[in-house]
Amino acid sequence: MNELRCKVLIIGGGPGGYVAAIRAGELGLDTVLVEDGQFGGACLHVGCIPSKAIIHAADAAHALAQPLALNAIGLSLGASSLDFAKTIAWKDAIVARLATGVGALLKKAGVRSLKGRATIVDGKSAIAHADTGDQRIVCEHLLIATGSEPMALEALPFDGEDVLSSTEALALTKVPETLAVVGAGYIGMELGMAFAKLGAKVTIVEALPKILPLYDEELTQPVARRAADLGIWTTVGAKALSFAKGALKVAGADGVEKTVAAEKVLVAVGRRARTVGFGLDSLDLTMAGPFIRIDDKCATSMRNVWAVGDVTGEPMLAHRAMAQGEMVAEIIAGERRAFDHRAIPAICFTDPEIVSVGLSPKAAKAGHGEVVVGLFPFRANGRAMTKQADEGLVRITARADNHVVLGVHAVGSGVSELSSAFTLALEMGARLEDVAGTIHAHPTESEAFHEAALKALGKPLHI
Ligand code: FAD
Ligand code: NAD
């Protein structure tokens, strides 16, 4: 068997692994990256990018189907139609373009990239089962970035035809007439709303008592209202029991069974860390439940064995995986770094979008005592009105004693683009006075952030 020697061996070329590889290469570390599927991982090929492309197409299609909203701004259009196969081809072209970019960046950084499944032998070696034959790779540092995969339900196993994971749902070439979504988390709500806008009659079944259980009611209510406006029937505290012949059987919160028409069923009940089938057990690492346990440097329980991304647990977000990957490469190169998870933004690309950075008022109070909260609604924001999108708010939470910002949350159209301002405030340890003292451009939705800080200081201007 061929033998390859390197300083850093990375298993998994998703956002965690490929970013670690690029930075390691840039820092002059001899790096090998092994990827079983496609460089870019779940995020690029079956996650973040494809879903946001479909959401954009759905928004555009839906806007054309809203004569009242269009008439209000003086527009009237003829009949429009959707060629969904073309939409999917457009989405695939974006993915292909970005994947080419990832390959080029790895090459530029001098990373040796191998296509094939890696099997770990021990903490210093693995075998890559490449098309060209097996290759033994010996390394000084091993980085595990094998990500996650969709979790199935025993009652509704994926069949690739009718009961789908997000991967297959994002590859449908025809919009189903009826779609049942099991799980009202990120994927269920993002894709459920998008398919409703594309014309599907959508039903959402959630086990917990509310949709998007990660977020508080103030943030989820506008999304729940919009889902209802889109004709989505949502049942919470419910259980999906079985699926056969286009019908999903559901037990409601009251225990009463109902049958829901569903040409397709999307099961989106979370993702499972990818930890089996590639020799991970040979390392006998300490686990944290189903995830690899890591410390604040992404070090595992074994010296010079590191782990980043979804395989290390929540939050399963691409930007967290990337930040961890970048950091591990820098630590291996000798830099002093540690991962601070206090300012990781989370965005739900629903309609309206939700942004969460840091602590909610309730969590802030529990952890820090007295807090002040400032809230500004988009209905008082000029820019939101001009976009026909004045639903939602920005909420800022700070310590009462020194006004250090502990959390910023928003719900509204396009608020995803405000997330960097919110995150920067937390990362820089901003106080309310810093946000209030920053000149925010007019007219922008970011003024709601400024106004929320002014409100928390008891000196609002525009409310
Ligand atoms: P992955 O992206 O899962 O990559 C792991 C890679 O390792 C895979 O390519 C896999 O083929 C490879 N691999 C596994 N085992 C082996 C092996 N033995 N040998 C070789 N290679 C191996 N996150 C966001 O931040 N924003 C979003 O908007 C967002 N939207 C999403 C939408 C959907 C529908 C889904 C499913 C996810 C979304 N996510 C989003 C989550 C995001 O995709 C993940 O958090 C991110 O991909 C995790 O990166 P990772 O590198 O840890 O793992
Ligand atoms: P999730 O954890 O966001 O939501 C799963 C939902 O399913 C929860 O509300 C849960 O209560 C519900 N559920 C669990 N078991 C159920 C059952 N038997 N019946 C009905 N409901 C059930 O998971 P997801 O939506 O599958 O997404 C997976 C991961 O991908 C998330 O952790 C997220 O981090 C990531 N993701 C992120 C984004 C984003 O950043 N915008 C988008 C999509 C996915």
Side-chain angles (χ1 to χ4, degrees):
M1 198 187 304
N2 269 347
E3 188 172 293
L4 243 175
R5 288 185 168 268
C6 62
K7 176 94 174 175
V8 188
L9 167 59
I10 301 170
I11 301 181
Y18 89 71
V19 167
I22 291 173
R23 176 62 90 238
E26 285 171 352
L27 290 166
L29 304 173
D30 182 12
T31 303
V32 173
L33 173 65
V34 188
E35 166 56 51
D36 191 19
Q38 289 165 293
F39 294 103
C43 175
L44 174 50
H45 295 276
V46 295
C48 326
I49 299 297
S51 60
K52 270 76 239 181
I54 302 284
I55 289 167
H56 173 71
D59 284 345
H62 187 67
L64 291 177
Q66 296 302 295
L68 286 180
L70 293 177
N71 287 348
I73 56 174
L75 271 175
S76 60
L77 302 172
S80 60
S81 67
L82 173 74
D83 178 347
F84 196 55
K86 206 167 169 183
T87 308
I88 294 296
W90 163 76
K91 176 262 292 180
D92 289 343
I94 295 171
V95 171
R97 191 168 146 201
L98 287 167
T100 305
V102 171
L105 291 169
L106 289 166
K107 201 167 165 195
K108 188 167 166 230
V111 175
R112 286 183 280 172
S113 304
L114 289 182
K115 270 273 178 87
R117 188 162 189 77
T119 304
I120 295 170
V121 177
D122 54 38
K124 297 272 179 252
S125 65
I127 296 181
H129 309 286
D131 290 346
T132 46
D134 286 359
Q135 188 133 25
R136 188 179 156 81
I137 307 167
V138 179
C139 61
E140 286 175 37
H141 294 265
L142 175 64
L143 171 56
I144 302 160
T146 48
S148 65
E149 56 205 357
M151 198 136 64
L153 284 178
E154 214 179 297
L156 293 169
F158 297 127
D159 61 17
E161 274 293 312
D162 298 321
V163 181
L164 312 176
S165 72
S166 53
T167 300
E168 291 106 19
L170 288 167
L172 287 170
T173 49
K174 187 178 154 284
V175 177
E177 273 178 30
T178 49
L179 173 71
V181 178
V182 182
Y186 279 95
I187 295 177
M189 290 309 297
E190 286 185 6
L191 294 187
M193 293 183 101
F195 275 104
K197 289 178 180 177
L198 289 165
K201 172 85 193 119
V202 175
T203 302
I204 299 183
V205 181
E206 165 60 43
L208 292 178
K210 67 185 277 292
I211 63 159
L212 295 169
L214 264 183
Y215 298 101
D216 61 73
E217 205 90 24
E218 199 158 46
L219 303 172
T220 57
Q221 259 170 4
V223 178
R225 274 199 297 272
R226 182 77 176 115
D229 287 350
L230 289 170
I232 296 176
W233 184 68
T234 307
T235 173
V236 295
K239 196 172 175 197
L241 301 172
S242 60
F243 174 76
K245 296 191 186 118
L248 180 73
K249 202 186 271 183
V250 179
D254 51 8
V256 176
E257 286 185 20
K258 287 190 187 75
T259 302
V260 174
E263 188 186 329
K264 304 279 179 195
V265 180
L266 163 61
V267 176
V269 294
R271 289 177 66 85
R272 179 195 311 285
R274 215 183 267 116
T275 52
V276 294
F278 62 99
L280 187 69
D281 42 354
S282 67
L283 298 182
D284 201 21
L285 295 179
T286 305
M287 303 296 285
F291 307 111
I292 298 177
R293 200 180 82 186
I294 51 167
D295 67 10
D296 64 352
K297 295 183 163 38
C298 293
T300 68
S301 55
M302 203 167 163
R303 212 169 92 80
N304 291 348
V305 176
W306 313 81
V308 298
D310 285 8
V311 76
T312 65
E314 297 285 354
M316 290 190 182
L317 298 172
H319 41 278
R320 167 180 173 263
M322 292 190 214
Q324 289 178 322
E326 184 188 5
M327 181 192 75
V328 168
E330 291 174 358
I331 291 173
I332 294 173
E335 291 181 28
R336 282 166 62 95
R337 293 279 316 269
F339 195 77
D340 185 348
H341 57 83
R342 274 174 298 188
I344 304 175
I347 299 169
C348 199
F349 292 85
T350 40
D351 175 9
E353 294 172 344
I354 299 177
V355 175
S356 159
V357 192
L359 303 176
S360 66
K362 196 172 162 195
K365 205 165 180 189
H368 298 267
E370 275 313 297
V371 296
V372 282
V373 178
L375 190 149
F376 190 84
F378 281 118
R379 72 183 142 68
N381 175 273
R383 180 66 177 137
M385 286 180 212
T386 63
K387 289 171 65 185
Q388 294 180 293
D390 57 359
E391 169 95 84
L393 54 95
V394 175
R395 186 181 71 197
I396 190 164
T397 306
R399 286 174 64 124
D401 55 358
N402 59 12
H403 293 174
V404 168
V405 178
L406 297 172
V408 190
H409 295 80
V411 54
S413 166
V415 292
S416 52
E417 294 302 331
L418 300 185
S419 65
S420 50
F422 300 167
T423 311
L424 194 64
L426 252 80
E427 186 64 36
M428 303 290 286
R431 292 167 194 251
L432 290 172
E433 288 78 359
D434 295 317
V435 181
T438 302
I439 298 172
H440 288 72
H442 177 75
T444 65
E445 287 180 79
S446 72
E447 287 172 283
F449 181 35
H450 185 222
E451 289 279 357
L454 288 172
K455 183 89 189 295
L457 289 168
K459 46 178 191 179
L461 285 170
H462 289 96
I463 191 100

